[in-house]
Amino acid sequence: MSSKKALVCGAGGFIGGHLINRLKEEGYYVRGIDLKEHEFFGETSADEFIIGDLRDPEVARSVVTEDLDEVYQLAADMGGAGFIFIGDNDADIMHNSALCNLNVLEEAKKVGVPKIFYSSSACIYPEYNQQDPQNPKCSEESAYPAMPDSEYGWEKLFSERLYLSYMRNHGIDVRIARFHNIFGPFGTWDGGREKAPAAICRKVAIAEDGGEVEVWGDGTQTRSFLIIDECIEGMRRFMKSDFIGPVNIGSEEMISIQDFTKMVIDVSGKKLSIKNVEGPRGVAGRNSDNALIREKLGWAPSKPLRNGVEETYKWIEEQVKEKRKAAV
Ligand code: NAD
């Protein structure tokens, strides 16, 4: 068991909530900070949970203290395609997320935090390498020349460089991971910020047997999806390693959105047809490239996508039922 002390920024979010549970299992003392409590976990397992806004340097100062062994910076203004690709949220995404990173890192420098984890994203990869749905390129070194397809991706790229600069100039030990579509139970599944796997599970759970499910775009766009348990396992292994990154944490099991939807429908046991409609869809193809994580950590995610879909669909189906019950 560990006697280490960690700060989780973005503790009320999907990955932050799961990370806190894992750190507690490992014996950590955990302080969490977020704008809000975790929506789905009920009582937090963190030792301290602070509601606060990391855009405010004073708040960052109050939570980034010198007794910390590790900081996990997951706080970001983010969402799925319906949030980051529509244009309306670009200024907020860049301003809010950059401020969280600037403030947390500056305080980490001042108090001398030994190690800090930063969650970057597959969205940093250049659009020009992701135009062939069957053959996208997302190896870590292909990030430059940079041309992310969203401001969300540009902010992540700026912040990656910010962390690396603080490492070079101020000696902070950083770990930078590029997450590829993490999904699973206890994540946002409705309201506009949900990502594709949760949105598709929700649509299937809501549909009446014999009905239709809407999919944004023609469904040929490809992605890979990583179940949350393996994301957390990857984060912990990465944090314990000597490797700085950036490194992909994602699944290599690429699937088209049409086939992903068919998989969810199959898991649901319903008979449904797919209706392709206009909608934000992002790059044509994206897949994790796990050569580097395998080389550096001797490990890579291996759980089949279908297992994650079964787990996630079951949880979202329960949420839909509970919401319906509450509405009557
Ligand atoms: P999430 O939206 O569930 O969690 C982010 C949390 O940050 C939210 O709870 C939000 O309230 C909090 N936050 C935002 N602004 C804040 C502020 N000013 N002060 C304090 N808290 C603030 O997202 P997630 O899926 O848990 O993602 C965690 C991190 O991983 C994010 O940085 C995200 O960009 C990155 N990431 C996630 C994925 C994914 O598939 N989930 C993929 C790539 C990168």
Side-chain angles (χ1 to χ4, degrees):
M1 291 297 260
S2 173
S3 55
K4 285 187 176 169
K5 190 164 184 174
L7 171 68
V8 177
C9 305
F14 171 50
I15 301 174
H18 283 273
L19 176 66
I20 288 176
N21 293 344
R22 171 68 180 261
L23 292 173
K24 285 307 300 170
E25 276 166 31
E26 290 186 34
Y28 272 66
Y29 181 95
V30 182
R31 176 185 298 150
I33 167 130
D34 202 297
L35 292 170
K36 58 171 178 66
E37 281 169 8
H38 201 283
E39 224 175 307
F40 307 112
F41 274 132
E43 185 90 350
T44 177
S45 60
D47 299 279
E48 299 169 52
F49 196 106
I50 292 144
I51 301 292
D53 188 339
L54 289 166
R55 290 172 298 183
D56 179 350
E58 285 303 323
V59 171
R61 193 161 304 146
S62 68
V63 293
V64 182
T65 50
E66 63 186 5
D67 52 342
L68 295 170
D69 298 289
E70 294 172 4
V71 171
Y72 292 82
Q73 204 321 69
L74 307 171
D77 198 358
M78 70 94 78
F83 184 74
I84 63 174
F85 292 128
I86 58 172
D88 301 11
N89 304 308
D90 288 351
D92 280 350
I93 289 170
M94 297 196 91
H95 175 264
N96 296 341
S97 301
L99 275 184
C100 292
N101 287 312
L102 288 161
N103 289 338
V104 170
L105 206 39
E106 182 61 15
E107 290 311 315
K109 178 195 87 179
K110 283 186 192 154
V111 301
V113 169
K115 212 184 245 186
I116 180 159
F117 174 95
Y118 174 56
S119 52
S120 182
S121 166
C123 290
I124 63 99
Y125 286 113
E127 193 171 10
Y128 57 77
N129 278 335
Q130 302 175 84
Q131 282 166 354
D132 175 357
Q134 293 314 314
N135 199 21
K137 184 174 179 187
C138 293
S139 49
E140 286 80 351
E141 86 296 341
S142 71
Y144 295 96
M147 190 46 76
D149 72 335
S150 64
E151 302 307 343
Y152 171 76
W154 279 107
E155 189 282 326
K156 289 288 186 196
L157 207 52
F158 161 77
S159 290
E160 282 191 3
R161 302 188 70 94
L162 182 72
Y163 282 81
L164 292 171
S165 304
Y166 270 68
M167 184 181 71
R168 276 197 308 278
N169 296 162
H170 303 303
I172 299 184
D173 199 7
V174 305
R175 297 287 178 277
I176 301 171
R178 293 175 181 157
F179 292 152
H180 289 243
N181 273 315
I182 315 301
F183 80 113
F186 303 98
T188 305
W189 59 276
D190 70 350
R193 283 188 186 241
E194 65 281 12
K195 304 184 89 187
I200 292 168
C201 286
R202 184 199 66 232
K203 289 176 189 177
V204 170
I206 287 172
E208 299 293 337
D209 206 8
E212 254 177 9
V213 187
E214 286 192 354
V215 168
W216 288 348
D218 62 8
T220 58
Q221 65 272 34
T222 54
R223 293 293 184 275
S224 70
F225 302 103
L226 181 68
I227 188 71
I228 182 72
D229 308 356
E230 289 209 296
C231 170
I232 302 289
E233 181 64 28
M235 286 173 78
R236 295 296 301 130
R237 285 174 184 257
F238 182 33
M239 212 42 185
K240 288 177 199 161
S241 79
D242 293 333
F243 188 50
I244 287 153
V247 69
N248 291 328
I249 297 188
S251 160
E252 283 180 325
E253 191 179 335
M254 190 171 82
I255 188 167
S256 72
I257 294 297
Q258 206 78 351
D259 287 345
F260 180 81
T261 310
K262 286 180 190 160
M263 188 186 277
V264 178
I265 294 172
D266 192 47
V267 165
S268 77
K270 296 182 186 180
K271 286 217 170 352
L272 300 172
S273 54
I274 298 174
K275 185 181 175 195
N276 294 97
V277 296
E278 278 292 305
R281 47 165 272 172
V283 292
R286 176 171 290 157
N287 193 14
S288 186
D289 179 326
N290 290 348
L292 188 65
I293 195 169
R294 235 178 251 119
E295 180 197 324
K296 298 292 181 185
L297 305 189
W299 174 92
S302 59
K303 203 164 157 178
L305 172 64
R306 185 159 178 123
N307 292 12
V309 168
E310 284 168 356
E311 230 180 285
T312 308
Y313 182 77
K314 191 167 168 249
W315 182 79
I316 291 182
E317 196 184 28
E318 279 165 20
Q319 304 307 302
V320 167
K321 280 185 193 152
E322 273 173 32
K323 201 168 178 179
R324 274 188 183 145
K325 247 192 264 161
V328 287

